[in-house]
Amino acid sequence: MTVPTVLVVEDERKIRDLLRSYLEHDGFAVLSTWSGSEAISLAADAAPDLVVLDLRLPDIPGEEVARELRRTSSVPILVLTAKTATDDRIHCLELGVDDYVTKPFSPREVVLRVRAILRRLHHGPGGEPAQSYGGGELVLDQARRLATVRGEPVELTTTEWLLLTSLATVPGRVYSRYELINRARGYDFEGYERAVDSHIRNLRGKIEADHHHPRIVQTVIGAGYRLGLRPDPAAVPEPSA
């Protein structure tokens, strides 16, 4: 079994070493750095399974590191931040990060959040065939965690993938924001409505041909969101001669 690798980006050495100790004790391989620029290089070269990212770094702001990672990768990002205002937390999520922990924090909580993100990411039936929707406009391959839109693979963050597959569980059914954030993150938190809207907006930017008139992820005013495409019938193998 492959050991998951976590990249810890934190400029305070005591915190960095403490997180490394807890994560390694829990069975993770750990890379660490104090530098935002080195974090971007490490993420590209080592392809970690998850990044724990402090926002206050001495060389590059953590927000810029998150943007760069999102530009090239869908690696899950757990942010460490001293900012506690709701708007600040929502801004973190708008960057495409998957979760955040506010300082001061328990190292054990960070480990549990890391494990929860990776568990949600890799959860799913490994033997199920890919499901197609809207005459092949959208194809979701749970086993490979791959979304294909109009014939092209699309890189989705962990949260975007979980939101899309949650909506696809029952196409046409309206899911409230409360349901979606609990499915995607596993728990409720203050400001969840605005967080879901931010993630949906980012998701639409990747999958909709016209995000002003979405066909795939549709808004139901006052209720939530639904998948606007019908599932395609499963292919039936032709009988052998």
Side-chain angles (χ1 to χ4, degrees):
M1 181 181 294
T2 304
V3 176
T5 299
V6 177
L7 171 59
V8 176
V9 189
E10 166 61 61
D11 67 323
E12 293 188 41
R13 182 169 183 173
K14 287 184 179 180
I15 296 177
R16 192 167 66 244
D17 290 347
L18 186 63
L19 289 174
R20 172 186 285 276
S21 176
Y22 270 77
L23 287 163
E24 288 180 341
H25 184 268
D26 210 59
F28 294 99
V30 180
L31 301 170
S32 65
T33 180
W34 58 268
S35 162
S37 59
E38 186 176 19
I40 293 169
S41 298
L42 279 171
D45 295 340
D49 297 283
L50 185 142
V51 177
V52 177
L53 175 64
D54 183 27
L55 292 185
R56 293 187 176 179
L57 300 173
D59 56 346
I60 301 176
E63 291 90 345
E64 292 302 320
V65 176
R67 287 191 187 95
E68 181 61 23
L69 293 179
R70 276 291 159 264
R71 190 180 66 81
T72 59
S73 170
S74 60
V75 61
I77 302 172
L78 172 63
V79 156
L80 307 178
T81 176
K83 300 177 181 179
T84 58
T86 299
D87 285 347
D88 291 325
R89 297 198 300 268
I90 295 302
H91 177 61
C92 287
L93 297 170
E94 288 175 338
L95 294 174
V97 308
D98 297 277
D99 205 350
Y100 61 85
V101 177
T102 55
K103 295 181 177 182
F105 56 79
S106 159
R108 187 59 188 159
E109 179 187 3
V110 174
V111 173
L112 292 175
R113 296 284 186 101
V114 167
R115 191 162 288 285
I117 292 170
L118 293 177
R119 183 171 60 247
R120 295 196 302 271
L121 174 62
H122 297 295
H123 176 71
E128 286 191 2
Q131 175 63 57
S132 175
Y133 304 84
E137 182 170 357
L138 171 68
V139 179
L140 297 177
D141 188 334
Q142 293 274 5
R144 295 191 295 161
R145 193 190 171 278
L146 177 64
T148 304
V149 181
R150 295 177 291 279
E152 296 292 332
V154 178
E155 284 281 341
L156 300 178
T157 68
T158 304
T159 301
E160 291 163 358
W161 168 259
L162 292 168
L163 287 173
L164 184 57
T165 53
S166 295
L167 291 169
T169 303
V170 184
R173 179 187 183 278
V174 179
Y175 289 86
S176 70
R177 291 171 174 83
Y178 179 87
E179 287 181 278
L180 288 173
I181 203 63
N182 275 274
R183 283 172 175 262
R185 294 166 60 92
Y187 56 90
D188 188 17
F189 75 108
E190 185 181 358
Y192 68 87
E193 290 195 12
R194 290 175 59 191
V196 169
D197 292 344
S198 295
H199 286 300
I200 291 292
R201 183 166 56 250
N202 292 338
L203 174 60
R204 282 174 170 164
K206 297 179 179 181
I207 67 174
E208 300 286 359
D210 180 357
H211 62 86
H212 294 294
H213 301 89
R215 278 177 39 86
I216 302 175
V217 177
Q218 298 178 337
T219 301
V220 180
I221 296 175
Y225 297 97
R226 70 184 172 201
L227 190 76
L229 305 179
R230 293 177 178 271
D232 298 325
V236 179
E238 295 183 4
S240 55

mmCIF file of all heavy atoms in Angstrom, residues 20-58:
data_model
loop_
_atom_site.group_PDB
_atom_site.id
_atom_site.type_symbol
_atom_site.label_atom_id
_atom_site.label_comp_id
_atom_site.label_asym_id
_atom_site.label_seq_id
_atom_site.Cartn_x
_atom_site.Cartn_y
_atom_site.Cartn_z
ATOM 1 N N ARG A 20 4.874 17.720 11.474
ATOM 2 C CA ARG A 20 5.579 16.569 10.908
ATOM 3 C C ARG A 20 5.514 15.370 11.856
ATOM 4 O O ARG A 20 5.216 14.246 11.429
ATOM 5 C CB ARG A 20 7.042 16.925 10.616
ATOM 6 C CG ARG A 20 7.886 15.709 10.205
ATOM 7 C CD ARG A 20 9.341 16.060 10.060
ATOM 8 N NE ARG A 20 9.610 16.797 8.849
ATOM 9 C CZ ARG A 20 9.806 16.227 7.660
ATOM 10 N NH1 ARG A 20 9.771 14.907 7.531
ATOM 11 N NH2 ARG A 20 10.062 16.968 6.617
ATOM 12 N N SER A 21 5.760 15.615 13.133
ATOM 13 C CA SER A 21 5.760 14.541 14.117
ATOM 14 C C SER A 21 4.397 13.856 14.190
ATOM 15 O O SER A 21 4.301 12.620 14.163
ATOM 16 C CB SER A 21 6.149 15.096 15.493
ATOM 17 O OG SER A 21 6.057 14.098 16.485
ATOM 18 N N TYR A 22 3.349 14.655 14.262
ATOM 19 C CA TYR A 22 1.997 14.086 14.364
ATOM 20 C C TYR A 22 1.606 13.343 13.093
ATOM 21 O O TYR A 22 1.008 12.256 13.147
ATOM 22 C CB TYR A 22 0.985 15.194 14.664
ATOM 23 C CG TYR A 22 0.771 15.441 16.137
ATOM 24 C CD1 TYR A 22 1.686 16.148 16.888
ATOM 25 C CD2 TYR A 22 -0.370 14.954 16.786
ATOM 26 C CE1 TYR A 22 1.502 16.387 18.245
ATOM 27 C CE2 TYR A 22 -0.577 15.188 18.133
ATOM 28 C CZ TYR A 22 0.361 15.904 18.863
ATOM 29 O OH TYR A 22 0.162 16.123 20.209
ATOM 30 N N LEU A 23 1.915 13.921 11.944
ATOM 31 C CA LEU A 23 1.547 13.284 10.677
ATOM 32 C C LEU A 23 2.316 11.984 10.455
ATOM 33 O O LEU A 23 1.738 10.976 10.034
ATOM 34 C CB LEU A 23 1.793 14.245 9.517
ATOM 35 C CG LEU A 23 0.795 15.405 9.397
ATOM 36 C CD1 LEU A 23 1.356 16.508 8.503
ATOM 37 C CD2 LEU A 23 -0.543 14.910 8.845
ATOM 38 N N GLU A 24 3.616 11.995 10.754
ATOM 39 C CA GLU A 24 4.405 10.771 10.594
ATOM 40 C C GLU A 24 3.950 9.708 11.572
ATOM 41 O O GLU A 24 3.901 8.514 11.226
ATOM 42 C CB GLU A 24 5.890 11.085 10.792
ATOM 43 C CG GLU A 24 6.488 11.877 9.626
ATOM 44 C CD GLU A 24 7.960 12.192 9.800
ATOM 45 O OE1 GLU A 24 8.455 12.120 10.956
ATOM 46 O OE2 GLU A 24 8.621 12.517 8.799
ATOM 47 N N HIS A 25 3.587 10.104 12.779
ATOM 48 C CA HIS A 25 3.078 9.140 13.768
ATOM 49 C C HIS A 25 1.786 8.497 13.278
ATOM 50 O O HIS A 25 1.483 7.342 13.602
ATOM 51 C CB HIS A 25 2.859 9.830 15.112
ATOM 52 C CG HIS A 25 2.420 8.896 16.205
ATOM 53 N ND1 HIS A 25 1.093 8.665 16.491
ATOM 54 C CD2 HIS A 25 3.142 8.122 17.070
ATOM 55 C CE1 HIS A 25 1.006 7.797 17.483
ATOM 56 N NE2 HIS A 25 2.231 7.457 17.858
ATOM 57 N N ASP A 26 1.005 9.251 12.474
ATOM 58 C CA ASP A 26 -0.255 8.729 11.959
ATOM 59 C C ASP A 26 -0.078 7.968 10.648
ATOM 60 O O ASP A 26 -1.056 7.556 10.038
ATOM 61 C CB ASP A 26 -1.235 9.889 11.748
ATOM 62 C CG ASP A 26 -2.685 9.455 11.937
ATOM 63 O OD1 ASP A 26 -3.022 8.971 13.023
ATOM 64 O OD2 ASP A 26 -3.478 9.587 10.976
ATOM 65 N N GLY A 27 1.160 7.814 10.193
ATOM 66 C CA GLY A 27 1.419 6.967 9.032
ATOM 67 C C GLY A 27 1.641 7.685 7.719
ATOM 68 O O GLY A 27 1.729 7.037 6.667
ATOM 69 N N PHE A 28 1.754 9.015 7.737
ATOM 70 C CA PHE A 28 1.985 9.768 6.515
ATOM 71 C C PHE A 28 3.475 9.982 6.281
ATOM 72 O O PHE A 28 4.251 10.101 7.233
ATOM 73 C CB PHE A 28 1.311 11.138 6.581
ATOM 74 C CG PHE A 28 -0.193 11.082 6.629
ATOM 75 C CD1 PHE A 28 -0.863 11.212 7.835
ATOM 76 C CD2 PHE A 28 -0.933 10.888 5.478
ATOM 77 C CE1 PHE A 28 -2.246 11.166 7.894
ATOM 78 C CE2 PHE A 28 -2.312 10.829 5.519
ATOM 79 C CZ PHE A 28 -2.974 10.970 6.725
ATOM 80 N N ALA A 29 3.872 10.061 5.022
ATOM 81 C CA ALA A 29 5.187 10.577 4.673
ATOM 82 C C ALA A 29 5.064 12.092 4.592
ATOM 83 O O ALA A 29 4.042 12.613 4.128
ATOM 84 C CB ALA A 29 5.641 10.005 3.331
ATOM 85 N N VAL A 30 6.092 12.816 5.047
ATOM 86 C CA VAL A 30 5.988 14.274 5.160
ATOM 87 C C VAL A 30 7.159 14.957 4.472
ATOM 88 O O VAL A 30 8.319 14.598 4.682
ATOM 89 C CB VAL A 30 5.924 14.714 6.645
ATOM 90 C CG1 VAL A 30 5.824 16.237 6.740
ATOM 91 C CG2 VAL A 30 4.729 14.066 7.344
ATOM 92 N N LEU A 31 6.830 15.944 3.646
ATOM 93 C CA LEU A 31 7.791 16.915 3.129
ATOM 94 C C LEU A 31 7.471 18.239 3.797
ATOM 95 O O LEU A 31 6.306 18.519 4.094
ATOM 96 C CB LEU A 31 7.667 17.058 1.618
ATOM 97 C CG LEU A 31 7.870 15.801 0.772
ATOM 98 C CD1 LEU A 31 7.473 16.070 -0.672
ATOM 99 C CD2 LEU A 31 9.315 15.331 0.858
ATOM 100 N N SER A 32 8.462 19.074 4.033
ATOM 101 C CA SER A 32 8.169 20.346 4.694
ATOM 102 C C SER A 32 9.086 21.451 4.189
ATOM 103 O O SER A 32 10.206 21.196 3.735
ATOM 104 C CB SER A 32 8.304 20.218 6.210
ATOM 105 O OG SER A 32 9.635 19.939 6.589
ATOM 106 N N THR A 33 8.584 22.667 4.260
ATOM 107 C CA THR A 33 9.352 23.841 3.879
ATOM 108 C C THR A 33 8.745 25.064 4.549
ATOM 109 O O THR A 33 7.567 25.071 4.893
ATOM 110 C CB THR A 33 9.361 24.039 2.349
ATOM 111 O OG1 THR A 33 10.126 25.202 2.026
ATOM 112 C CG2 THR A 33 7.951 24.219 1.811
ATOM 113 N N TRP A 34 9.570 26.113 4.691
ATOM 114 C CA TRP A 34 9.090 27.382 5.222
ATOM 115 C C TRP A 34 8.770 28.354 4.101
ATOM 116 O O TRP A 34 8.195 29.416 4.316
ATOM 117 C CB TRP A 34 10.166 28.025 6.108
ATOM 118 C CG TRP A 34 11.469 28.250 5.367
ATOM 119 C CD1 TRP A 34 12.533 27.394 5.306
ATOM 120 C CD2 TRP A 34 11.806 29.364 4.548
ATOM 121 N NE1 TRP A 34 13.527 27.909 4.506
ATOM 122 C CE2 TRP A 34 13.108 29.142 4.027
ATOM 123 C CE3 TRP A 34 11.160 30.553 4.207
ATOM 124 C CZ2 TRP A 34 13.756 30.034 3.183
ATOM 125 C CZ3 TRP A 34 11.807 31.451 3.351
ATOM 126 C CH2 TRP A 34 13.096 31.190 2.856
ATOM 127 N N SER A 35 9.126 27.996 2.864
ATOM 128 C CA SER A 35 9.114 28.914 1.725
ATOM 129 C C SER A 35 7.971 28.631 0.765
ATOM 130 O O SER A 35 7.756 27.484 0.347
ATOM 131 C CB SER A 35 10.451 28.793 0.977
ATOM 132 O OG SER A 35 10.372 29.315 -0.319
ATOM 133 N N GLY A 36 7.272 29.690 0.354
ATOM 134 C CA GLY A 36 6.219 29.530 -0.631
ATOM 135 C C GLY A 36 6.742 29.138 -1.989
ATOM 136 O O GLY A 36 6.166 28.282 -2.674
ATOM 137 N N SER A 37 7.850 29.739 -2.412
ATOM 138 C CA SER A 37 8.408 29.409 -3.726
ATOM 139 C C SER A 37 8.907 27.968 -3.764
ATOM 140 O O SER A 37 8.714 27.256 -4.758
ATOM 141 C CB SER A 37 9.549 30.364 -4.075
ATOM 142 O OG SER A 37 10.586 30.298 -3.118
ATOM 143 N N GLU A 38 9.526 27.517 -2.667
ATOM 144 C CA GLU A 38 9.974 26.124 -2.627
ATOM 145 C C GLU A 38 8.778 25.181 -2.577
ATOM 146 O O GLU A 38 8.826 24.083 -3.147
ATOM 147 C CB GLU A 38 10.880 25.890 -1.418
ATOM 148 C CG GLU A 38 11.485 24.499 -1.415
ATOM 149 C CD GLU A 38 12.470 24.259 -0.267
ATOM 150 O OE1 GLU A 38 12.419 25.012 0.726
ATOM 151 O OE2 GLU A 38 13.267 23.314 -0.384
ATOM 152 N N ALA A 39 7.698 25.586 -1.923
ATOM 153 C CA ALA A 39 6.495 24.756 -1.868
ATOM 154 C C ALA A 39 5.953 24.505 -3.270
ATOM 155 O O ALA A 39 5.547 23.382 -3.603
ATOM 156 C CB ALA A 39 5.434 25.426 -1.002
ATOM 157 N N ILE A 40 5.950 25.542 -4.116
ATOM 158 C CA ILE A 40 5.463 25.383 -5.484
ATOM 159 C C ILE A 40 6.334 24.392 -6.248
ATOM 160 O O ILE A 40 5.827 23.524 -6.964
ATOM 161 C CB ILE A 40 5.435 26.753 -6.185
ATOM 162 C CG1 ILE A 40 4.376 27.654 -5.529
ATOM 163 C CG2 ILE A 40 5.147 26.590 -7.675
ATOM 164 C CD1 ILE A 40 4.452 29.102 -5.975
ATOM 165 N N SER A 41 7.650 24.478 -6.061
ATOM 166 C CA SER A 41 8.566 23.546 -6.728
ATOM 167 C C SER A 41 8.392 22.123 -6.212
ATOM 168 O O SER A 41 8.353 21.168 -6.994
ATOM 169 C CB SER A 41 10.015 24.002 -6.529
ATOM 170 O OG SER A 41 10.246 25.263 -7.110
ATOM 171 N N LEU A 42 8.289 21.992 -4.872
ATOM 172 C CA LEU A 42 8.117 20.662 -4.289
ATOM 173 C C LEU A 42 6.815 20.014 -4.749
ATOM 174 O O LEU A 42 6.768 18.817 -5.039
ATOM 175 C CB LEU A 42 8.135 20.757 -2.762
ATOM 176 C CG LEU A 42 9.502 20.847 -2.096
ATOM 177 C CD1 LEU A 42 9.343 21.151 -0.606
ATOM 178 C CD2 LEU A 42 10.270 19.531 -2.274
ATOM 179 N N ALA A 43 5.762 20.812 -4.816
ATOM 180 C CA ALA A 43 4.472 20.267 -5.239
ATOM 181 C C ALA A 43 4.547 19.760 -6.675
ATOM 182 O O ALA A 43 3.961 18.726 -7.020
ATOM 183 C CB ALA A 43 3.381 21.321 -5.099
ATOM 184 N N ALA A 44 5.284 20.482 -7.523
ATOM 185 C CA ALA A 44 5.424 20.064 -8.920
ATOM 186 C C ALA A 44 6.298 18.825 -9.051
ATOM 187 O O ALA A 44 5.996 17.918 -9.833
ATOM 188 C CB ALA A 44 5.998 21.213 -9.744
ATOM 189 N N ASP A 45 7.387 18.767 -8.277
ATOM 190 C CA ASP A 45 8.350 17.677 -8.417
ATOM 191 C C ASP A 45 7.932 16.406 -7.682
ATOM 192 O O ASP A 45 8.116 15.305 -8.187
ATOM 193 C CB ASP A 45 9.722 18.121 -7.903
ATOM 194 C CG ASP A 45 10.331 19.235 -8.735
ATOM 195 O OD1 ASP A 45 9.891 19.409 -9.896
ATOM 196 O OD2 ASP A 45 11.222 19.938 -8.226
ATOM 197 N N ALA A 46 7.375 16.573 -6.470
ATOM 198 C CA ALA A 46 7.094 15.411 -5.619
ATOM 199 C C ALA A 46 5.651 14.933 -5.705
ATOM 200 O O ALA A 46 5.344 13.828 -5.260
ATOM 201 C CB ALA A 46 7.433 15.742 -4.163
ATOM 202 N N ALA A 47 4.750 15.760 -6.260
ATOM 203 C CA ALA A 47 3.334 15.400 -6.399
ATOM 204 C C ALA A 47 2.754 14.847 -5.106
ATOM 205 O O ALA A 47 2.323 13.699 -5.043
ATOM 206 C CB ALA A 47 3.154 14.399 -7.535
ATOM 207 N N PRO A 48 2.742 15.648 -4.016
ATOM 208 C CA PRO A 48 2.183 15.167 -2.758
ATOM 209 C C PRO A 48 0.692 14.895 -2.881
ATOM 210 O O PRO A 48 0.024 15.395 -3.794
ATOM 211 C CB PRO A 48 2.446 16.332 -1.798
ATOM 212 C CG PRO A 48 2.499 17.531 -2.671
ATOM 213 C CD PRO A 48 3.137 17.069 -3.954
ATOM 214 N N ASP A 49 0.174 14.095 -1.957
ATOM 215 C CA ASP A 49 -1.256 13.778 -1.959
ATOM 216 C C ASP A 49 -2.084 14.907 -1.357
ATOM 217 O O ASP A 49 -3.291 14.986 -1.618
ATOM 218 C CB ASP A 49 -1.496 12.476 -1.185
ATOM 219 C CG ASP A 49 -0.819 11.305 -1.851
ATOM 220 O OD1 ASP A 49 -1.356 10.821 -2.863
ATOM 221 O OD2 ASP A 49 0.248 10.882 -1.379
ATOM 222 N N LEU A 50 -1.457 15.758 -0.550
ATOM 223 C CA LEU A 50 -2.161 16.866 0.098
ATOM 224 C C LEU A 50 -1.132 17.900 0.540
ATOM 225 O O LEU A 50 0.007 17.553 0.868
ATOM 226 C CB LEU A 50 -2.975 16.370 1.291
ATOM 227 C CG LEU A 50 -3.862 17.374 2.015
ATOM 228 C CD1 LEU A 50 -5.185 16.730 2.451
ATOM 229 C CD2 LEU A 50 -3.154 17.952 3.239
ATOM 230 N N VAL A 51 -1.542 19.179 0.549
ATOM 231 C CA VAL A 51 -0.681 20.263 1.009
ATOM 232 C C VAL A 51 -1.323 20.942 2.208
ATOM 233 O O VAL A 51 -2.499 21.331 2.149
ATOM 234 C CB VAL A 51 -0.448 21.304 -0.105
ATOM 235 C CG1 VAL A 51 0.394 22.474 0.421
ATOM 236 C CG2 VAL A 51 0.232 20.666 -1.311
ATOM 237 N N VAL A 52 -0.560 21.061 3.311
ATOM 238 C CA VAL A 52 -0.967 21.866 4.457
ATOM 239 C C VAL A 52 -0.244 23.194 4.323
ATOM 240 O O VAL A 52 0.984 23.243 4.344
ATOM 241 C CB VAL A 52 -0.602 21.182 5.793
ATOM 242 C CG1 VAL A 52 -0.965 22.083 6.969
ATOM 243 C CG2 VAL A 52 -1.324 19.835 5.919
ATOM 244 N N LEU A 53 -0.999 24.281 4.170
ATOM 245 C CA LEU A 53 -0.422 25.559 3.742
ATOM 246 C C LEU A 53 -0.750 26.683 4.720
ATOM 247 O O LEU A 53 -1.920 27.036 4.914
ATOM 248 C CB LEU A 53 -0.958 25.913 2.352
ATOM 249 C CG LEU A 53 -0.566 27.269 1.773
ATOM 250 C CD1 LEU A 53 0.932 27.356 1.538
ATOM 251 C CD2 LEU A 53 -1.337 27.520 0.475
ATOM 252 N N ASP A 54 0.307 27.252 5.324
ATOM 253 C CA ASP A 54 0.139 28.459 6.131
ATOM 254 C C ASP A 54 0.014 29.648 5.187
ATOM 255 O O ASP A 54 0.700 29.723 4.168
ATOM 256 C CB ASP A 54 1.344 28.624 7.054
ATOM 257 C CG ASP A 54 1.206 29.824 7.977
ATOM 258 O OD1 ASP A 54 0.060 30.205 8.288
ATOM 259 O OD2 ASP A 54 2.240 30.381 8.384
ATOM 260 N N LEU A 55 -0.853 30.608 5.529
ATOM 261 C CA LEU A 55 -1.042 31.760 4.648
ATOM 262 C C LEU A 55 0.019 32.835 4.840
ATOM 263 O O LEU A 55 0.280 33.614 3.925
ATOM 264 C CB LEU A 55 -2.437 32.364 4.855
ATOM 265 C CG LEU A 55 -3.614 31.508 4.397
ATOM 266 C CD1 LEU A 55 -4.916 32.278 4.554
ATOM 267 C CD2 LEU A 55 -3.442 31.026 2.961
ATOM 268 N N ARG A 56 0.627 32.888 6.021
ATOM 269 C CA ARG A 56 1.616 33.930 6.295
ATOM 270 C C ARG A 56 3.018 33.364 6.128
ATOM 271 O O ARG A 56 3.603 32.816 7.064
ATOM 272 C CB ARG A 56 1.415 34.491 7.699
ATOM 273 C CG ARG A 56 0.108 35.256 7.846
ATOM 274 C CD ARG A 56 -0.007 35.938 9.189
ATOM 275 N NE ARG A 56 -1.218 36.745 9.266
ATOM 276 C CZ ARG A 56 -1.584 37.441 10.339
ATOM 277 N NH1 ARG A 56 -0.812 37.427 11.427
ATOM 278 N NH2 ARG A 56 -2.696 38.144 10.337
ATOM 279 N N LEU A 57 3.552 33.509 4.920
ATOM 280 C CA LEU A 57 4.889 33.022 4.606
ATOM 281 C C LEU A 57 5.802 34.209 4.346
ATOM 282 O O LEU A 57 5.345 35.265 3.911
ATOM 283 C CB LEU A 57 4.838 32.100 3.379
ATOM 284 C CG LEU A 57 3.952 30.859 3.523
ATOM 285 C CD1 LEU A 57 3.851 30.128 2.193
ATOM 286 C CD2 LEU A 57 4.487 29.932 4.612
ATOM 287 N N PRO A 58 7.104 34.054 4.580
ATOM 288 C CA PRO A 58 8.006 35.211 4.480
ATOM 289 C C PRO A 58 8.315 35.666 3.067
ATOM 290 O O PRO A 58 8.713 36.812 2.860
ATOM 291 C CB PRO A 58 9.273 34.721 5.183
ATOM 292 C CG PRO A 58 9.221 33.236 5.069
ATOM 293 C CD PRO A 58 7.773 32.870 5.127
#
